[in-house]
Amino acid sequence: MSALRVIKPGPLSLLQDAGRTGWQHLGVSPSGPLDWHAAAWANRLLGNAWGTCVLEMALGGLQFEAEGELWLAVSGADLPVSLDGRPVMNWSRFRVRAGQHLQFGYAPSGQRAYLAAAGGFRAPRVLGSVATQAREGLGGLQGRGEALQVGDLLVADSGNFSRGASVPWCYRPDYQAVASLRVMTGGDAAAFAPEQLKAFFTQHWRLEPQSDRMGARLYGEPLQAPQREWSLGVVRGCIQVPPDGQPIILQADHQTMGGYPILGWLHPLDQWRLAQCRPRQSLSFTLVGVGDVQRDLREFYRFFGR
């Protein structure tokens, strides 16, 4: 058996796969990785299929001991990685032997990193998915929606590669860059006063520390939203404007129904960039057309073989 024993679990380390699709009509969130770009690269480095189970590591601070030989890959936030005290390059594939200690420090840039293993980490499927959803108590290593704990065992295949590999520099995002994110207007956008839509796109917003896997909360000059008397289904990237005028961008663990007016939707590729933004970071938004978003997503999914 090849496995990693958890010595230090970090502040929030969650198993995530392609997500729990097909259950939103019953109020069950899809979950899945907050940064699909980084998660997809970790799996690609190991030849894993799209959506294979990975470990999402928030902020860092993890330590493992290998029980058996494994091939692993790491991507995402700029966590210092070391194997028996020797540095390991991020965005790379590498081998770990039995008895070695794998350690992750804390990220100076980015918020979430992804650890993949050959064949994916094994865990029971709940409603068709391993994805961890703490609020609903679904998924994860024991199937109860729990984050990793000290002593947990992450089991995977050993893998068979002749050498390591890494992601070319041109494909690695700069998480320290100023975040300008693209938005498709829609939903209730036509009911917003023109000056309110302009205010959303012209001002700089601050990402609030209260943001989590359910929603990214913004702070700025409040918007005046139109009144709405009914609720409707919502998806990831939906930009809601509650009565206080401070927008909320729904994330992977979002609720499935919402009654706040909807200004539009964040470009999916930028949803993943948002997941790497630090609390109190300044954000701005620009318009993008649906056709451009569809083209970008086709290229992304074609590249990663979805």
Side-chain angles (χ1 to χ4, degrees), residues 32-48:
L34 280 184
D35 183 349
W36 263 112
H37 175 262
W41 265 116
N43 275 324
R44 183 182 174 94
L45 283 166
L46 293 163
N48 293 339

Side-chain angles (χ1 to χ4, degrees), residues 65-225:
E65 181 178 359
E67 299 187 4
E69 182 173 301
L70 303 97
W71 279 92
L72 304 173
V74 63
S75 62
D78 191 22
L79 304 182
V81 187
S82 63
L83 187 60
D84 282 348
R86 295 186 175 184
V88 173
M89 185 171 61
N90 200 351
W91 297 87
S92 74
R93 179 181 73 211
F94 56 97
R95 181 168 57 186
V96 179
R97 293 183 171 89
Q100 288 190 302
H101 285 79
L102 178 64
Q103 188 164 352
F104 295 86
Y106 289 94
S109 67
Q111 292 286 283
R112 293 166 177 88
Y114 293 85
L115 180 66
F121 294 115
R122 299 175 193 168
R125 293 180 176 271
V126 180
L127 299 181
S129 173
V130 171
T132 310
Q133 223 288 27
R135 187 181 70 251
E136 295 164 1
L138 300 174
L141 197 58
Q142 310 299 332
R144 299 189 295 265
E146 298 170 337
L148 282 195
Q149 307 292 324
V150 174
D152 281 347
L153 196 64
L154 295 176
V155 179
D157 297 337
S158 59
N160 184 22
F161 298 92
S162 60
R163 57 185 175 84
S166 61
V167 176
W169 284 100
C170 60
Y171 292 110
R172 304 184 198 183
D174 179 5
Y175 295 135
Q176 293 182 326
V178 176
S180 178
L181 308 177
R182 295 162 292 178
V183 168
M184 302 172 285
T185 56
D188 301 298
F192 280 79
E195 62 271 16
Q196 295 302 310
L197 284 178
K198 182 179 179 181
F200 174 79
F201 285 103
T202 55
Q203 71 169 295
H204 284 266
W205 298 89
R206 185 180 71 198
L207 181 62
E208 288 290 85
Q210 293 77 16
S211 301
D212 56 19
R213 282 185 52 90
M214 185 172 179
R217 297 177 178 273
L218 308 182
Y219 180 81
E221 188 65 31
L223 302 178
Q224 293 181 3

